[in-house]
Structure formats: C-alpha cells, structure tokens
C-alpha cells in the first residue's frame, strides 16, 4: 500500500469519527438541552456543517500529483447496478488518466478515465477493458461523462449519448476507496478539471443521463450515494450533498497534492 493510500484510510476513519461524534452529542447533550458547539470541518468530533460558496466552481488537477479521495458509505458492489457521472475538461489526451476510480485495494475495482484519447472504463486489476468510447475527446472543452453497469453490460455516455456498450462482468467486492483524478494518488493522474461528481447505486435510464448532461438534476433522484458539487470556496474538505455524508479530502490534506479551485465552465444548473 502506498503512503497516499494509507493516509486516505486515516481520512476515512476521521470522517466516520466525525459522524460518530455528532451522534454522541445528540444523545448526551441534546437530551440535556445544552447548545451545540460551533461546527468545524477540521474537527471530526464536532457536528458536520456543509459550507458552500454559492458559486459554480470546479477542481483543477495539474497532472503531477493532485487527487481527491472520499468516503464510500452505501456505495454499490462492483457487480451491482450503478451509475457514475461527472463533468470534465481535459488539458491533455496523450496519457492514461483517471476521472473516477472505485476499488478495493488493487485486486478489484473499476476505473473510469481516458485511454487512447477516448473515454474508457477498465478493471483496476489486469487492465481488462470494460467499455471503450468510439470517438476522441476534445482538449479544452467541457464534457459530461457517465458510466452505467446493469449487472450484465457496461455502457459509456459522453454528453448524454451512449458511445459504447459491452457485455461484461465485474468483481463482486464492495469498493472501500474512492479516488478522483487518480488511481492511487501517484498513477493515472488527471491533467484537467472536474465538476459535479455523482455515484448512484442504480442503473439510471438513458433519459435521466441525457437530462443530467443537459444541466438538469434533482437531488431526490433514487439511488444517489455521492454528490460532490465541489463549490466550497476554500479548505481541504469537499462535502457530499447526498444523505450519506461521503465527504472528501483534497490531496489527503497535503497542500502540494490538492487540486486548485477554479471557476467552472460546465453548463450546470445551480445546486
């Protein structure tokens, strides 16, 4: 296990401790009528407070060390129905780059990213391809990407349109790590920007994916287990807007590995 992977595990423990701390306060102090302490994203024992800048922001990854990790509560097993989606803009298409990776160690999991200039989904272990997009992606242009698995086949979507479908199988293991912009903090590093990352534990319809790619989305849509608008103005924490609190940390809190916050060019409705 790499140093970054070890730190990421510690971060996920801290996030769980924050949720546990909030429950303790509700059980003990809430019953006694005492007031809540001021919420602080940096202290895992204090109640969680989502902070939003009310701007449409994105994260910019430098391709040299930037990444983001999140918790994985209620994430689907690898062989279960699921849909991933996000907006992205590439600065380079000549190298293999990860957009979103859900895995358990390095023996199972799926990576959605760019390979050979096209949107591609592949197995973490052995690099076995799940689905490969048919058209090269543009540099400097925002695209919407989605990966859907319905237990029998994997389908890739670019800008709301299906670009590849393949009958395939995946591991039955539940992912314990979620990486954005990298495989593990050191490999398949993204050179580009990402916005509005979502994971569902259902196979969304073509119509739902097309609507999302048009900038329309409802947070009450079923199956949502991760929603990262990435609109925080500052700090190392990014907040999950689903009900599962799968908050994330930029670069494990290491400044040199933290993606930069930039104004997004993705055509989104305000969250």
């Amino acid at each position: 296990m790499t140093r970054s992977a070890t730190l990421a595990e510690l971060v996920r423990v801290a996030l769980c401790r924050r949720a546990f701390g909030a429950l303790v306060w509700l059980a003990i102090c809430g019953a006694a009528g005492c007031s809540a302490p001021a919420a602080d994203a940096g202290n895992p024992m204090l109640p969680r407070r989502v902070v939003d800048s009310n701007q449409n922001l994105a994260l910019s990854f430098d391709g040299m060390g930037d990444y983001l990790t999140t918790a994985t509560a209620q994430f689907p097993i690898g062989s279960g129905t699921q849909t991933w989606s996000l907006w992205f803009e590439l600065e380079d298409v000549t190298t293999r780059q990860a957009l979103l990776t859900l895995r358990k160690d390095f023996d199972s999991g799926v990576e959605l990213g760019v390979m050979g200039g096209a949107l591609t989904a592949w197995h973490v272990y052995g690099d076995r391809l799940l689905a490969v997009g048919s058209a090269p992606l543009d540099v400097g242009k925002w695209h919407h990407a989605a990966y859907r698995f319905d237990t029998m086949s994997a389908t890739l979507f670019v800008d709301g349109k299906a670009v590849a479908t393949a009958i395939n199988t995946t591991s039955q293991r539940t992912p314990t790590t979620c990486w954005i912009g990298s495989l593990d903090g050191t490999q398949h590093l993204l050179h580009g920007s990402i916005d509005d990352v979502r994971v569902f534990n259902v196979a969304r319809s073509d119509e739902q994916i097309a609507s999302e790619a048009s900038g329309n989305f409802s947070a009450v849509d079923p199956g949502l287990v991760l929603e990262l608008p990435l609109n925080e103005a500052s700090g190392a924490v990014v907040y999950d807007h689903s009900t599962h609190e799968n908050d994330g940390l930029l670069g494990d809190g290491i400044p040199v590995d933290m993606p930069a916050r930039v104004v997004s060019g993705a055509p989104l409705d305000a969250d």
Side-chain angles (χ1 to χ4, degrees):
M1 181 177 290
T2 66
R3 176 183 61 86
S4 296
T6 302
L7 288 171
E9 291 296 334
L10 293 175
V11 169
R12 277 180 282 279
V13 171
L15 291 172
C16 291
R17 287 179 61 234
R18 176 172 60 209
F20 177 76
L23 290 174
V24 170
W25 178 86
L26 287 172
I28 299 176
C29 295
C34 55
S35 58
D40 179 359
N43 187 335
M45 297 307 293
L46 295 181
R48 177 179 183 267
R49 180 185 65 189
V50 175
V51 180
D52 197 300
S53 67
N54 295 317
Q55 303 177 69
N56 183 16
L57 301 180
L59 292 178
S60 176
F61 298 75
D62 63 8
M64 296 184 290
D66 292 348
Y67 62 92
L68 162 63
T69 57
T70 79
T72 58
Q74 300 301 312
F75 274 33
I77 64 173
S79 60
T81 57
Q82 57 196 281
T83 308
W84 313 355
S85 66
L86 52 84
W87 287 90
F88 70 100
E89 179 188 31
L90 298 173
E91 297 298 328
D92 173 39
V93 294
T94 62
T95 61
R96 182 189 301 198
Q97 301 174 62
L99 296 171
L100 178 59
T101 305
L102 303 186
R103 62 178 176 82
K104 184 180 186 299
D105 301 323
F106 287 98
D107 57 2
S108 67
V110 173
E111 194 169 355
L112 175 66
V114 179
M115 187 184 296
L119 185 69
T120 306
W122 63 91
H123 288 271
V124 167
Y125 178 76
D127 288 343
R128 183 162 58 89
L129 299 179
L130 281 166
V132 181
S134 56
L137 297 165
D138 301 317
V139 172
K141 179 181 178 180
W142 280 93
H143 292 285
H144 183 266
Y147 161 79
R148 181 181 67 201
F149 188 71
D150 62 6
T151 74
M152 293 294 292
S153 62
T155 303
L156 297 179
F157 296 79
V158 175
D159 298 330
K161 298 179 180 179
V163 296
T165 299
I167 304 299
N168 230 312
T169 59
T170 61
S171 168
Q172 295 186 6
R173 296 190 176 187
T174 301
T176 56
T177 60
C178 172
W179 297 81
I180 297 171
S182 176
L183 167 66
D184 60 357
T186 62
Q187 302 180 72
H188 306 169
L189 294 163
L190 174 67
H191 188 196
S193 299
I194 283 181
D195 198 3
D196 269 37
V197 180
R198 300 185 179 105
V199 175
F200 302 81
N201 59 17
V202 298
R204 283 166 63 79
S205 68
D206 289 10
E207 293 74 18
Q208 287 175 313
I209 293 171
S211 179
E212 190 177 349
S214 297
N216 303 310
F217 175 73
S218 172
V220 299
D221 282 3
L224 185 66
V225 295
L226 177 72
E227 183 186 14
L228 300 178
L230 303 176
N231 290 335
E232 298 80 9
S234 61
V237 177
V238 295
Y239 292 96
D240 175 20
H241 287 225
S242 81
T243 60
H244 299 288
E245 299 189 6
N246 285 311
D247 300 338
L249 194 64
L250 304 180
D252 286 328
I254 303 169
V256 70
D257 293 333
M258 293 168 58
R261 301 183 188 278
V262 297
V263 175
S264 177
L268 306 173
D269 283 349
D271 284 276

